[in-house]
Amino acid sequence: MVSIGDVAGLIAAVAFVALVGFLARPLLRLADVLDEARASVKEITDHALPVLDETAKVVASSAVQMDKVDTVTTAAAQVSENVSALTSLVTATVGAPLLKVAAFSYGVRRALAGLRGGGAGR
C-alpha cells in the first residue's frame, strides 16, 4: 500500500522535476547569450589587435620622423647663426672701409664744388 508520505514524496519529486525543467530553459538561453557575447568579444579582439599593432608602428615611425625634423631644424639654426656671423664679419670688414671711402669721396666732392664755386665767383 501506498502511504500518504509516499504520495507526498512523489508529489514533491514531480514538483522538483517541474521546477528544474522550468529553470533549465532560462539557463539555456543565458548560456546562448553568454556564447554570443564571447564570440562578439573575440571578434572585436581579433579586429582591434591589428589596429593596435598598426598604431604602434605609426607612432614609432612618427618618432623617427621627428628625430629627422629635429636634425634638420638644428642644421637650419646653425646655418642661420653662421649667416649672421658672416654678415657681421662682412659688415665689420667691408662696411667700415666703405664708410671711410664714402666720407672721403663726399669730402672731395664738397672741396671740388667749393673750388669750382669759389673760382667761378671771382
Side-chain angles (χ1 to χ4, degrees):
M1 270 285 317
V2 178
S3 71
I4 294 188
D6 290 339
V7 173
L10 184 63
I11 291 173
V14 170
F16 183 73
V17 169
L19 180 65
V20 168
F22 180 74
L23 293 177
R25 186 172 175 149
L27 289 175
L28 290 174
R29 286 187 179 173
L30 179 62
D32 290 341
V33 169
L34 291 176
D35 285 341
E36 287 295 322
R38 182 190 53 79
S40 295
V41 168
K42 183 182 182 310
E43 184 177 340
I44 289 170
T45 303
D46 290 344
H47 291 298
L49 289 178
V51 170
L52 291 175
D53 290 341
E54 189 66 27
T55 302
K57 289 177 186 175
V58 168
V59 168
S61 174
S62 297
V64 170
Q65 293 299 324
M66 289 302 292
D67 289 342
K68 290 180 182 178
V69 167
D70 186 43
T71 303
V72 169
T73 305
T74 302
Q78 289 175 350
V79 167
S80 176
E81 289 175 10
N82 291 340
V83 167
S84 177
L86 183 63
T87 303
S88 298
L89 179 65
V90 168
T91 301
T93 304
V94 177
L98 282 178
L99 284 174
K100 290 179 183 177
V101 169
F104 178 75
S105 65
Y106 177 74
V108 169
R109 279 185 283 141
R110 292 279 303 222
L112 288 177
L115 286 177
R116 288 185 197 161
R122 285 188 190 173

